[in-house]
Amino acid sequence: MSISSDHVSLSPKQLWWFFSQYSPAGTPARDGIMPKNSPIRIQVVSPMLKAVSNMHSYLEEIVGHDHTKVDPQDAWLPITESRNGNKYYAAFHTLSTGIVFHALLLPFAFTSLGWIWGITCLILGFTWQMYTIWLLIQLHETENGTRYSRYLRLSMAAFGEKLGKLLSLFPIMYLSGGTCVALIMFGSGSLKKFYETLCGPTSNPLSTVEWYMVFTSCAVLMAQLPNLNSLAFVSLIGSVSGVGYCSIIWVLSVCKDRPMNVSYGSSRAESEVFRVCEVVHAIGIIALAFRGHNLVLEIQGTMPSNIKEPSKIAMWQGVKFAYVIIGMCLFPIAIAGYWAYGNLIIPTTNEGILEIMYKYHSHNTSRFVLCLTSLLVVIHCLSSFQVYAMPVFDNLEFRYTSCKERPCPRWLRSVIRAFFGCLTVFIAFTIPFLPKLAGLLGGIAMPITYVYPCFMWIKMKKPQQFSLMWWLNWVLGCVGILVSILVVTGAIWYIVIQGIPVHFFRPQ
């Protein structure tokens, strides 16, 4: 037998098919490919076996097969049981959760910071947040194919199991469960406004608690969708609603006549200490408006990933698009709201500029516009509730699947979500003053957004010492810790001096 010296050109898919016909030991992979009585015998020695095996794996990657290490339990959990997401789904989820009612408190932050420092802090917070989101997207998937689809697991991988839980568990639980509680308060208040505007205040037969129950019942019904990818259409509707009500609010604030006695004094403080507390409290409000990092990894975990198209590319494309829209909503809300109402914005309201707008412009604004604004707020709150609650659902089902080693049955999944709805509405009823703690909560959640991703990058990527990335992450991480401590301390001091109406079990 003579062997031709001509070069043979095969495509990667053809080569992959050829190697797939034979097992690594050299025996046929399928019956009938090479009969046992064939005169041809192939002797495969160990180096050849290793080369064939490596070539087979390499060609699988070229063809586009998923190269990630998948935990079988992930297929049972609501965040990762469906991995057919794309950059559009990522943009919808990010936009729906990135625009929240905390943005309506931004004009109040300007009353303490003033024009220059208010805009400066807003730009710095937005830019810093975008950088740390990029870090998380890069850290989602390691070089060996391991994917971290939950923020807590990434924290444990970077800092160790005990320290990772200690640092991240409470802020993550607040950003999920606490935000859902606040969404119940804000959404039910807007639902009440919608009804009163449409039918008149005298025709309202429901109390505040009953409105809580109406909103939560709708949220629990929507929560029966099985996984995060199935919420893509819900997030799309929520995104459109969020952009809609933000645009209406700032446009009305600019177009309508400003109230009398509007001033832009940067301080109402009686002492320098109180002035400092006001400033750090305002920084906490800005930090809370730019939170949501506990959902970035979860959203990316719903996307497929392979050697040719890693998930980080599509995820970053979706995030960039979403945050351009978010910036176009948050910056006008803060700037136009402060310009229109100035120091008339006081921290005694849970609804920020929305309630101020109703107070000063309900008499000269059409009922249709007011009803539409309230309705869009309700729709957006219901949509955001689903995405923010998903990590809690995922964690509860993880406990079940870890013990039983099987998927959570459908009836139990429904019970878990109904239980979470009951728990959140009970907390909303018990602690109705929770939104007034925005500055304090912003300081507590600030490390999740601005600090931990920087140190995670250093621990996991190990950049060269004294390189640009090494210095940048160390400086941002340390500054973030310092600012977080100052914000928490200042917010507590501000609450003690200023005082807030504490009334348990008495929602207004």
Side-chain angles (χ1 to χ4, degrees):
M1 179 188 298
S2 63
I3 301 176
S4 174
S5 61
D6 294 341
H7 293 286
V8 179
S9 176
L10 295 176
S11 68
K13 288 190 176 182
Q14 290 172 322
L15 286 172
W16 175 78
W17 176 88
F18 173 80
F19 282 105
S20 67
Q21 307 307 308
Y22 302 96
S23 66
T27 57
R30 295 185 301 173
D31 294 340
I33 298 299
M34 184 181 296
K36 291 184 177 180
N37 58 359
S38 172
I40 300 177
R41 290 288 183 270
I42 299 177
Q43 183 74 24
V44 182
V45 294
S46 180
M48 179 64 73
L49 171 63
K50 185 175 181 180
V52 170
S53 179
N54 291 340
M55 178 63 73
H56 187 275
S57 301
Y58 171 73
L59 291 172
E60 279 189 330
E61 292 179 353
I62 292 180
V63 176
H65 288 248
D66 197 328
H67 70 294
T68 58
K69 295 181 180 179
V70 180
D71 185 352
Q73 192 176 2
D74 280 351
W76 301 338
L77 301 176
I79 287 178
T80 50
E81 71 177 7
S82 173
R83 289 190 184 270
N84 61 350
N86 52 50
K87 60 183 178 181
Y88 303 106
Y89 288 11
F92 299 157
H93 292 315
T94 305
L95 187 54
S96 179
T97 56
I99 302 175
V100 290
F101 62 93
H102 294 110
L104 302 181
L105 299 175
L106 287 175
F108 171 67
F110 273 57
T111 63
S112 300
L113 297 171
W115 282 112
I116 297 177
W117 283 110
I119 295 175
T120 301
C121 290
L122 208 60
I123 293 173
L124 287 176
F126 185 82
T127 306
W128 194 346
Q129 181 201 35
M130 286 297 295
Y131 172 69
T132 51
I133 287 178
W134 179 83
L135 292 180
L136 288 176
I137 291 174
Q138 303 302 312
L139 290 171
H140 171 85
E141 188 174 336
T142 62
E143 294 179 357
N144 64 2
T146 302
R147 298 182 67 175
Y148 299 104
S149 299
R150 285 95 180 158
Y151 194 104
L152 183 60
R153 295 188 187 179
L154 179 62
S155 178
M156 292 165 60
F159 305 128
E161 183 174 354
K162 293 183 179 179
L163 183 60
K165 285 184 178 180
L166 180 64
L167 293 175
S168 303
L169 186 58
F170 175 74
I172 289 173
M173 287 300 101
Y174 165 71
L175 287 174
S176 294
T179 302
C180 289
V181 172
L183 285 170
I184 290 175
M185 298 179 184
F186 187 63
S188 59
S190 299
L191 186 60
K192 180 180 179 180
K193 274 189 172 63
F194 170 76
Y195 182 85
E196 289 179 346
T197 305
L198 186 64
C199 304
T202 58
S203 60
N204 179 19
L206 300 180
S207 65
T208 301
V209 176
E210 290 170 332
W211 283 116
Y212 282 3
M213 298 301 298
V214 171
F215 179 88
T216 308
S217 298
C218 297
V220 169
L221 287 176
M222 293 176 63
Q224 301 308 313
L225 292 171
N227 53 61
L228 191 54
N229 266 340
S230 65
L231 292 172
F233 184 69
V234 174
S235 292
L236 172 60
I237 296 174
S239 302
V240 174
S241 302
V243 174
Y245 80 74
C246 286
S247 301
I248 292 174
I249 290 173
W250 75 259
V251 168
L252 282 179
S253 300
V254 171
C255 294
K256 298 294 182 180
D257 294 334
R258 286 187 294 174
M260 300 294 292
N261 303 321
V262 173
S263 64
Y264 303 103
S266 60
S267 176
R268 298 185 297 270
E270 300 177 356
S271 65
E272 289 299 322
V273 174
F274 189 71
R275 169 68 183 140
V276 172
C277 293
E278 274 191 327
V279 170
V280 295
H281 183 256
I283 293 174
I285 292 175
I286 293 175
L288 191 60
F290 288 130
R291 87 281 168 277
H293 281 35
N294 63 310
L295 296 171
V296 172
L297 296 172
E298 282 79 354
I299 295 171
Q300 190 173 352
T302 66
M303 307 173 72
S305 183
N306 56 62
I307 199 68
K308 293 178 63 178
E309 297 179 357
S311 61
K312 62 184 179 182
I313 297 177
M315 183 65 187
W316 182 237
Q317 290 174 345
V319 165
K320 285 191 295 184
F321 172 80
Y323 270 90
V324 168
I325 306 299
I326 291 171
M328 293 171 62
C329 292
L330 267 58
F331 280 83
I333 281 282
I335 297 172
Y338 183 54
W339 176 86
Y341 306 110
N343 285 341
L344 295 176
I345 304 173
I346 55 178
T348 58
T349 172
N350 291 348
E351 300 175 3
I353 190 177
L354 180 62
E355 189 165 328
I356 300 297
M357 186 194 75
Y358 267 88
K359 179 179 178 180
Y360 290 104
H361 296 307
S362 59
H363 64 283
N364 59 0
T365 303
S366 68
R367 180 182 296 182
F368 172 77
V369 173
L370 294 175
C371 287
L372 178 62
T373 304
S374 298
L375 183 60
L376 290 176
V377 170
V378 173
I379 295 173
H380 179 253
C381 288
L382 286 171
S383 303
S384 298
F385 184 97
Q386 311 307 317
V387 185
Y388 274 104
M390 195 57 71
V392 180
F393 300 155
D394 187 88
N395 188 52
L396 293 175
E397 293 190 27
F398 173 78
R399 305 299 176 188
Y400 175 86
T401 55
S402 298
C403 295
K404 300 295 184 179
E405 297 184 353
R406 62 183 180 186
C408 187
R410 182 61 185 169
W411 67 268
L412 183 57
R413 175 174 283 186
S414 299
V415 169
I416 289 174
R417 300 182 182 195
F419 169 77
F420 176 75
C422 295
L423 180 62
T424 51
V425 76
F426 176 76
I427 296 174
F429 169 65
T430 306
I431 315 175
F433 55 89
L434 185 65
K436 294 184 175 65
L437 305 176
L440 175 61
L441 297 173
I444 294 174
M446 191 174 177
I448 292 289
T449 305
Y450 298 107
V451 178
Y452 296 161
C454 300
F455 292 135
M456 288 174 179
W457 183 271
I458 294 172
K459 290 284 290 184
M460 301 185 71
K461 293 294 185 178
K462 302 185 185 307
Q464 184 179 357
Q465 194 172 14
F466 305 122
S467 64
L468 177 61
M469 286 296 291
W470 188 88
W471 276 113
L472 179 62
N473 286 290
W474 267 112
V475 171
L476 289 179
C478 294
V479 170
I481 291 176
L482 178 62
V483 173
S484 179
I485 294 173
L486 290 175
V487 168
V488 171
T489 305
I492 294 174
W493 193 275
Y494 176 84
I495 291 171
V496 171
I497 297 176
Q498 179 74 12
I500 60 173
V502 177
H503 41 84
F504 295 96
F505 301 100
R506 287 187 298 169
Q508 298 176 349

